[in-house]
């Protein structure tokens, strides 16, 4: 882990979910141990790869780093950059409302679409 010590872009941390780290583990959905999470702290993902240091280091070098977002607009393609810039003009309340509307639409539409797919497959 000394390879990443002092890194401005990488954090490697060990949390004991059975003691003082329990609230943090609950917040990020850690249910089994050991669990490895990676990514943006606002959208952590479960790591499913090898557990050796070499495996982890290779994964980090190939998959992790800055991504398109408000802090790294230069990493965005033109369409995504435009969207990020538009969203940055909205306040938190408006953004949350927009998210809630989209989520509600998906939650309603996706089950219907899946039924139609099943229906169409059954017709063939």
């Amino acid at each position: 882990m000394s390879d990443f010590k002092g890194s401005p872009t990488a954090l490697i941390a060990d949390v004991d979910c059975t003691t003082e780290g329990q609230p943090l583990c609950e917040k990020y959905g850690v249910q089994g141990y050991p669990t490895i999470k990676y990514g943006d702290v606002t959208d952590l993902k479960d790591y499913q790869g090898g557990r050796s240091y070499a495996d982890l280091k290779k994964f980090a070098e190939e998959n992790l780093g800055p991504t398109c977002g408000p802090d790294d607009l230069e990493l965005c393609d033109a369409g995504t950059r435009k969207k990020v810039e538009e969203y940055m003009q909205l306040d938190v309340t408006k953004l949350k409302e927009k998210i809630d509307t989209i989520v509600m639409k998906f939650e309603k539409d996706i089950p219907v679409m899946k039924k139609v797919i099943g229906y169409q497959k059954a017709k063939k």
Side-chain angles (χ1 to χ4, degrees), residues 5-21:
K5 188 174 184 172
S7 170
T9 59
L11 168 66
I12 297 177
D14 181 19
V15 178
D16 185 345
C17 293
T18 63
T19 60
E20 68 275 353

Side-chain angles (χ1 to χ4, degrees), residues 11-59:
L11 168 66
I12 297 177
D14 181 19
V15 178
D16 185 345
C17 293
T18 63
T19 60
E20 68 275 353
Q22 188 172 1
L24 183 66
C25 295
E26 289 173 1
K27 178 179 178 179
Y28 291 106
V30 175
Q31 296 176 342
Y33 314 108
T35 296
I36 298 176
K37 299 268 187 181
Y38 71 93
D40 188 297
V41 71
T42 62
D43 186 29
L44 290 175
K45 299 186 178 10
D46 289 326
Y47 172 76
Q48 300 297 329
R51 299 297 176 113
S52 73
Y53 182 78
D55 290 334
L56 291 166
K57 186 172 183 201
K58 181 178 183 200
F59 177 83

Side-chain angles (χ1 to χ4, degrees), residues 45-106:
K45 299 186 178 10
D46 289 326
Y47 172 76
Q48 300 297 329
R51 299 297 176 113
S52 73
Y53 182 78
D55 290 334
L56 291 166
K57 186 172 183 201
K58 181 178 183 200
F59 177 83
E61 289 169 346
E62 293 176 356
N63 298 283
L64 304 180
T67 58
C68 167
D71 289 329
D72 295 295
L73 288 172
E74 69 281 359
L75 300 176
C76 302
D77 62 58
T80 305
R81 181 181 181 129
K82 183 178 177 188
K83 282 282 188 195
V84 172
E85 289 172 339
E86 287 174 13
Y87 295 151
M88 288 171 59
Q89 300 305 311
L90 302 175
D91 65 29
V92 171
T93 302
K94 290 286 185 193
L95 280 169
K96 286 183 178 180
E97 288 172 2
K98 192 168 193 65
I99 289 169
D100 290 345
T101 300
I102 291 169
V103 167
M104 188 170 51
K105 181 168 175 47
F106 277 144

